[in-house]
Amino acid sequence: MSFYIGREASKYIHGFAARGVHYIHRPGPTLQDVGFFLLRELGQDKGYISETVFTTLFLSFVLWTFHPFFFKIKKIYTVLIWCRVLAFLAACQFLRIITFYSTQLPGPNYHCREGSKLATLPPPNSVLEVLLINFPRGMLYGCGDLIFSSHMIFSLIFVRTYHKYGTRRFIKLCAWLAVIAQSFLIVASRKHYTVDVVVAWYTVNLVVFFVDKQLPELPDRTSAALILPLSKDSKAKEENHKLLNANSGDPAEWI
């Protein structure tokens, strides 16, 4: 329960901060970017491609973490995995909020450019309007929260976590290739500048590296039976076993 509350609180705080920076976003000419120069622009009608890759990574990771509930092979602890992921996400999102509030860049996305009605937000009419963050439209059409990419935060954390605790080498390879492809697709879709993606690559990896060292390592599922409390039937069998062993011993020990 506390895990769920912490996760939702972290999501809300980040959404609230992203909504706030949209109020101070000012559209302008798209900045010179090496990724924009090298990668052909996909266009608005193909922006779904990067979202499809991200959704595939997201759902695949969620299904993997919950597979112990459906299969007999249980090699991970779902709750402990997600606690670690939440710690990584919270640290990265905190750094991201500080970064995009420090400097606001003109958004390269289509709805953030000059001439778009969504590029700027009018002053809020009430505190409630700010607190509700206009979900979900405010989350989908935000501007100003650029450095560094939130999609890359989630993808890199998921892939790194599976790389450490997953068992399928082929899936690990596919996951890394997918997150690399997503990096290019985000830039090609003009959803972020190249710097947003580059900063995400080294920041997320460094955060995961240092935070992971501070967290206790996950216990081995194979030894779970040794640390689980015994049921009443198990205790009775154990007592009978001890009694039989005692009766089969040296009669001199009975006195």
Side-chain angles (χ1 to χ4, degrees):
M1 184 64 178
S2 58
F3 159 74
Y4 177 80
I5 295 174
R7 184 188 66 179
E8 294 303 314
S10 176
K11 287 169 58 179
Y12 176 79
I13 292 172
H14 177 264
F16 178 78
R19 177 69 172 175
V21 80
H22 195 169
Y23 282 107
I24 58 178
H25 172 258
R26 294 294 176 266
T30 303
L31 301 179
Q32 185 174 345
D33 188 282
V34 65
F36 293 180
F37 177 75
L38 296 176
L39 297 175
R40 180 181 177 183
E41 187 171 350
L42 291 180
Q44 284 182 280
D45 58 329
K46 296 181 180 178
Y48 68 90
I49 299 177
S50 64
E51 294 299 328
T52 302
V53 175
F54 173 76
T55 303
T56 302
L57 286 170
F58 186 92
L59 294 179
S60 298
F61 182 80
V62 171
L63 291 175
W64 170 71
T65 57
F66 282 94
H67 84 271
F69 292 97
F70 305 102
F71 299 97
K72 294 182 179 180
I73 302 176
K74 301 180 178 180
K75 297 183 179 180
I76 60 170
Y77 289 91
T78 300
V79 174
L80 296 182
I81 285 284
W82 276 104
C83 285
R84 299 179 83 86
V85 169
L86 179 61
F88 301 150
L89 287 174
C92 289
Q93 298 286 30
F94 175 74
L95 293 175
R96 181 174 189 263
I97 292 171
I98 294 176
T99 306
F100 66 63
Y101 266 102
S102 300
T103 302
Q104 291 83 47
L105 304 179
N109 210 336
Y110 301 101
H111 65 270
C112 298
R113 298 178 183 179
E114 291 179 306
S116 172
K117 295 181 179 180
L118 300 174
T120 57
L121 292 178
N125 297 320
S126 64
V127 176
L128 186 62
E129 182 181 340
V130 178
L131 295 177
L132 292 178
I133 64 176
N134 193 23
F135 183 84
R137 186 177 179 83
M139 303 291 290
L140 297 175
Y141 295 98
C143 297
D145 56 327
L146 292 174
I147 303 177
F148 41 97
S149 170
S150 183
H151 281 62
M152 291 303 301
I153 291 176
F154 279 87
S155 298
L156 285 170
I157 289 176
F158 290 165
V159 172
R160 280 190 61 103
T161 302
Y162 183 80
H163 185 86
K164 182 175 182 179
Y165 298 107
T167 56
R168 307 281 185 176
R169 290 186 178 181
F170 178 73
I171 296 179
K172 292 180 182 181
L173 176 61
C174 290
W176 281 113
L177 291 176
V179 78
I180 292 173
Q182 180 184 282
S183 302
F184 290 103
L185 288 170
I186 287 175
V187 177
S189 300
R190 304 303 189 253
K191 295 178 179 179
H192 278 278
Y193 292 108
T194 306
V195 66
D196 306 337
V197 175
V198 172
V199 171
W201 267 96
Y202 64 74
T203 303
V204 174
N205 282 292
L206 286 174
V207 168
V208 172
F209 175 78
F210 285 109
V211 174
D212 191 56
K213 284 182 172 293
Q214 306 303 317
L215 299 174
E217 191 49 74
L218 296 184
D220 186 5
R221 286 290 315 227
T222 58
S223 61
L226 301 176
I227 61 176
L228 291 176
L230 295 174
S231 63
K232 292 182 179 180
D233 293 340
S234 300
K235 290 182 178 179
K237 290 180 181 179
E238 185 179 1
E239 291 177 358
N240 291 335
H241 182 69
K242 290 181 179 179
L243 183 61
L244 290 174
N245 289 340
N247 291 337
S248 62
D250 188 354
E253 297 179 355
W254 300 355
I255 302 176

